[in-house]
Amino acid sequence: MRRFLPIFLVVFLAVSALSEDVVLQLKWFNQFQFAGFYVAKEKGFYADEGLNVTIKQGGPTVSPIKEVINKRAQFGIAGPDVVQYVAKGLPVKAIMTVFQQSPTCLMALKSSGIKTPKDFKGKKVGILGDYTYIELKLILKKAGLSIRDVKRIRWTFDLKGFVEGKYDVVPAYRTNEPDVVRNWGYDVVLFYPEDYGIRFVGDVLFTTDDLIKNKPDLVKRFVRASYRGWVYAVEHPDEAIKIILEKYNTQKLTKEHLEYEAKETIKLVTARLKDVKYFGSFNKEQWKEIIRLLYEHKLIRKTVDLDEVIYDDFINEVIEGR
């Protein structure tokens, strides 16, 4: 007597055999910051494109650039530091802008008496060796100060140390740390780079030059599905939060925190855009300014051309419906 596999299993195996395995390496732990990618997976947008996507969370010890360069992931999330990778000779390009505006800010406790950047003078300031350092330097410059006017301490993401007085001012993701500290019972003062004329981008999706050259169709399909996921997450944040709570809540975040993060994230995703349908696009003048500032402040040793850093053909075609 013959045994037949159930038809749904036959279909599943056939589709799985045709799907291409893809890994996306995030830059931090699972949270609403990456909601569009979760939505693209759970709503079947990646599957619609013939992609079987594994999303790997990051953290302070995970390097998306190393994961992608070493081919353990095909795509990664970075920030303006993608310019630094290219300047070092690494063969990668940004292919989609996720956050049109920098998610970082400078945070101080209200009880510290710090009200303006002028009050940073002589204070203990947390320092990271990335673009947030430039944001700090430029904010200080606007206040008539220099980096030498503050006591620099390496920032280790120690929020407990911050509220206990180890630091007076620290770099923070506006989508996360301010809400955490407020929930501990502390009022905070936030200083946003854009209020001082500083226009960095935030998260970007990147991949290798090799994948763009040899598998352009795969890259475009991944961009198209990710675009659909992000537009859906922006338009249906409650559903995106439900997905995170059910399948990606490795940090055990509360619904209330995710709602806060969603509100702040959507502002960053849609900043300066006429409509969410332009999600992912590149403001080339903004990117040229980012390259100039990184070079001017010696975070890159040589300048690079814009077309060495970004490849926007795929996202432009997706936005235009091609």
mmCIF file of all heavy atoms in Angstrom, residues 11 19 53 93 153 221-222 288 290 318:
data_model
loop_
_atom_site.group_PDB
_atom_site.id
_atom_site.type_symbol
_atom_site.label_atom_id
_atom_site.label_comp_id
_atom_site.label_asym_id
_atom_site.label_seq_id
_atom_site.Cartn_x
_atom_site.Cartn_y
_atom_site.Cartn_z
ATOM 1 N N VAL A 11 3.658 20.694 -1.010
ATOM 2 C CA VAL A 11 3.789 22.087 -1.460
ATOM 3 C C VAL A 11 4.857 22.805 -0.653
ATOM 4 O O VAL A 11 5.695 23.526 -1.199
ATOM 5 C CB VAL A 11 2.431 22.826 -1.339
ATOM 6 C CG1 VAL A 11 2.617 24.320 -1.627
ATOM 7 C CG2 VAL A 11 1.407 22.210 -2.288
ATOM 8 N N SER A 19 13.262 28.192 -2.486
ATOM 9 C CA SER A 19 13.615 29.406 -1.755
ATOM 10 C C SER A 19 15.120 29.532 -1.572
ATOM 11 O O SER A 19 15.824 28.528 -1.426
ATOM 12 C CB SER A 19 12.941 29.409 -0.377
ATOM 13 O OG SER A 19 11.540 29.458 -0.514
ATOM 14 N N VAL A 53 14.370 33.900 4.932
ATOM 15 C CA VAL A 53 15.230 34.842 5.656
ATOM 16 C C VAL A 53 15.359 34.480 7.125
ATOM 17 O O VAL A 53 14.360 34.256 7.819
ATOM 18 C CB VAL A 53 14.695 36.283 5.515
ATOM 19 C CG1 VAL A 53 15.535 37.261 6.338
ATOM 20 C CG2 VAL A 53 14.699 36.706 4.049
ATOM 21 N N LYS A 93 28.260 48.343 0.272
ATOM 22 C CA LYS A 93 27.512 49.548 -0.075
ATOM 23 C C LYS A 93 26.193 49.573 0.687
ATOM 24 O O LYS A 93 25.572 48.525 0.931
ATOM 25 C CB LYS A 93 27.234 49.615 -1.574
ATOM 26 C CG LYS A 93 28.427 50.065 -2.408
ATOM 27 C CD LYS A 93 28.053 50.230 -3.865
ATOM 28 C CE LYS A 93 29.234 50.781 -4.649
ATOM 29 N NZ LYS A 93 30.393 49.899 -4.608
ATOM 30 N N ILE A 153 34.812 60.312 29.078
ATOM 31 C CA ILE A 153 34.847 58.962 29.653
ATOM 32 C C ILE A 153 34.220 58.009 28.637
ATOM 33 O O ILE A 153 33.157 58.308 28.079
ATOM 34 C CB ILE A 153 34.046 58.883 30.979
ATOM 35 C CG1 ILE A 153 34.554 59.915 31.989
ATOM 36 C CG2 ILE A 153 34.121 57.475 31.562
ATOM 37 C CD1 ILE A 153 33.717 59.971 33.271
ATOM 38 N N ARG A 221 15.077 41.753 -4.699
ATOM 39 C CA ARG A 221 13.945 41.088 -4.056
ATOM 40 C C ARG A 221 13.965 41.304 -2.546
ATOM 41 O O ARG A 221 12.920 41.510 -1.915
ATOM 42 C CB ARG A 221 13.952 39.589 -4.394
ATOM 43 C CG ARG A 221 13.462 39.286 -5.810
ATOM 44 C CD ARG A 221 13.406 37.789 -6.086
ATOM 45 N NE ARG A 221 14.719 37.229 -6.329
ATOM 46 C CZ ARG A 221 15.178 36.107 -5.790
ATOM 47 N NH1 ARG A 221 14.426 35.426 -4.915
ATOM 48 N NH2 ARG A 221 16.368 35.650 -6.074
ATOM 49 N N PHE A 222 15.167 41.276 -1.964
ATOM 50 C CA PHE A 222 15.266 41.504 -0.524
ATOM 51 C C PHE A 222 14.889 42.950 -0.189
ATOM 52 O O PHE A 222 14.171 43.199 0.797
ATOM 53 C CB PHE A 222 16.685 41.212 -0.027
ATOM 54 C CG PHE A 222 16.818 41.260 1.468
ATOM 55 C CD1 PHE A 222 16.495 40.155 2.249
ATOM 56 C CD2 PHE A 222 17.231 42.420 2.114
ATOM 57 C CE1 PHE A 222 16.581 40.202 3.638
ATOM 58 C CE2 PHE A 222 17.320 42.483 3.497
ATOM 59 C CZ PHE A 222 17.000 41.370 4.262
ATOM 60 N N LYS A 288 26.565 63.294 1.165
ATOM 61 C CA LYS A 288 27.824 63.984 0.848
ATOM 62 C C LYS A 288 28.326 64.765 2.062
ATOM 63 O O LYS A 288 29.533 64.810 2.329
ATOM 64 C CB LYS A 288 27.621 64.931 -0.339
ATOM 65 C CG LYS A 288 27.468 64.232 -1.678
ATOM 66 C CD LYS A 288 27.187 65.234 -2.797
ATOM 67 C CE LYS A 288 26.953 64.539 -4.121
ATOM 68 N NZ LYS A 288 26.609 65.510 -5.200
ATOM 69 N N ILE A 290 27.696 64.001 5.181
ATOM 70 C CA ILE A 290 28.166 63.004 6.147
ATOM 71 C C ILE A 290 29.605 62.607 5.837
ATOM 72 O O ILE A 290 30.460 62.552 6.732
ATOM 73 C CB ILE A 290 27.247 61.769 6.139
ATOM 74 C CG1 ILE A 290 25.887 62.116 6.764
ATOM 75 C CG2 ILE A 290 27.887 60.610 6.895
ATOM 76 C CD1 ILE A 290 24.829 61.057 6.548
ATOM 77 N N VAL A 318 12.095 50.121 -6.671
ATOM 78 C CA VAL A 318 10.990 49.644 -5.828
ATOM 79 C C VAL A 318 10.002 50.772 -5.569
ATOM 80 O O VAL A 318 8.770 50.589 -5.672
ATOM 81 C CB VAL A 318 11.527 49.077 -4.505
ATOM 82 C CG1 VAL A 318 10.403 48.834 -3.512
ATOM 83 C CG2 VAL A 318 12.288 47.770 -4.751
#
